[in-house]
Amino acid sequence: MHNKKNSFSYKLRGILIFLAFTAILSIARSQTPGYYIDISKKYLRNQEYVQALQFLNQAIQIVPLTPELYLLRGFTKYSLDDYYGAEQDYTISLSIFPYNPDVLINRAIVRTQQQNYPGALEDLSSAAKIDTTSSEIYFYLARIKLILKKYYACINDCNKALQLKSPNENIYILRGSSEMGLERFDLAMADFRKAMELNPSNTYSYLQAGTMYMDHNKPDSAISFFDEAIKVDSINNYALFSRSLARVKLNDRDGAIQDLDKVIRLSPYNSYAYFNRAILYNEKKDWKSAIRDFDYVIRLNPKNLVSFYYRGLLKSEIKDYHGAIADFDKALELLPEYPDGYYARSMAKRKINDPTAAKDY
């Protein structure tokens, strides 16, 4: 039997909930945009990006014509690697108020992430017209021009940033990298040293200097800079990998393997590290270890033709001729016009007296 008292209580509770929600919504709508901006910034300062996104979605529904909220939501999406969504929010912010250089800079950054370099350059040029005192704008212009290998233009923008008293040592790294691209190595080294002086904790200056010496076939000097980078950041994969290459040039195979061991511990899906270590194990005639590393490379990249070929050669060394033939088969399946593969397969087939060996010549 239906209980009217319970029904009345249920309806009353529903009315009270509705009234409470209406009151909350009314209070929310009475807040100024500054309130939502402050709360959003608090989430972002604490790196609570998911919570910030949820709050900003609600805030934008309440005060939809607030360009700062779209700027903040764009930054939040950027922090969550949603570059397309970030660009959309920056565009909406600019449609409401087109004269904020910070929004233009931020949109240029996400456009750069998406390799839309013309769009990024256009945004930064617009920002420079609005704010003629910002060294940051010229920093980002220089960075894009370095990516595009427009070395003279990059140097010009770096000089403008320095004229505007840029506090960022990365300006010197960018300019030095462009000087390196122009093969003006003394100027490049002077810039890298200036960056090291300004901020000894910035690994990029050491890495660029080390790379430059590697290009000059001076592995000893390169290692000294890679060592400095690793002192600053002991888990810097790029520095460890680069030092391993320099050690190979000095025939320090054991040292190179130790560096690659660290790279693999830090980044267990780095196929380049496994491949290079396999080559070094092969040179040391440690064929089982080399085969094991090629196993990893092939697992990570099943279409790596060279790894099948080399693993086949190594299996031949340990007299696993059937395994070698299977690897050469796979290499030739990936590249039927591979003469070395046919020759190696023929040699392996001869070892097991396979009558089809002659066909591979």
Side-chain angles (χ1 to χ4, degrees), residues 119-290:
L121 289 170
E122 183 182 338
D123 278 345
L124 292 167
S125 297
S126 298
K129 291 174 185 175
I130 297 168
D131 184 355
T132 58
T133 64
S134 171
S135 63
E136 183 184 24
I137 293 169
Y138 290 102
F139 168 78
Y140 287 116
L141 280 167
R143 192 174 69 168
I144 294 170
K145 288 170 187 176
L146 179 62
I147 292 169
L148 297 174
K149 297 184 178 180
K150 295 182 177 182
Y151 299 127
Y152 288 109
C154 174
I155 291 167
N156 186 49
D157 284 331
C158 288
N159 290 338
K160 287 179 182 176
L162 291 169
Q163 287 167 9
L164 292 168
K165 309 296 183 186
S166 171
N168 191 338
E169 76 280 356
N170 287 312
I171 285 290
Y172 289 99
I173 298 174
L174 289 175
R175 191 171 71 176
S177 299
S178 285
E179 297 288 9
M180 189 166 72
L182 293 169
E183 300 188 357
R184 301 194 302 207
F185 302 113
D186 289 342
L187 292 172
M189 196 64 229
D191 275 339
F192 296 145
R193 289 197 182 281
K194 182 64 177 178
M196 294 170 200
E197 176 190 325
L198 289 171
N199 184 1
S201 298
N202 190 329
T203 58
Y204 290 107
S205 52
Y206 304 114
L207 292 172
Q208 286 297 86
T211 300
M212 187 171 73
Y213 277 114
M214 281 289 284
D215 292 343
H216 272 66
N217 200 28
K218 294 181 178 179
D220 281 319
S221 298
I223 285 172
S224 69
F225 285 107
F226 296 140
D227 285 345
E228 290 299 319
I230 292 164
K231 282 181 190 175
V232 173
D233 180 5
S234 62
I235 58 172
N236 189 306
N237 267 350
Y238 186 82
L240 289 163
F241 189 84
S242 298
R243 190 172 68 178
S244 76
L245 297 178
R247 285 176 163 173
V248 168
K249 288 198 171 191
L250 294 171
N251 294 317
D252 179 10
R253 294 190 184 90
D254 290 334
I257 288 172
Q258 287 173 9
D259 279 339
L260 292 170
D261 288 344
K262 292 176 186 174
V263 172
I264 288 166
R265 280 200 299 273
L266 294 166
S267 179
Y269 303 108
N270 189 325
S271 62
Y272 295 105
Y274 286 112
F275 185 92
N276 281 26
R277 193 173 68 175
I279 296 298
L280 291 169
Y281 278 135
N282 174 49
E283 291 174 357
K284 289 167 64 71
K285 300 189 185 305
D286 183 352
W287 292 309
K288 287 185 178 179
S289 294

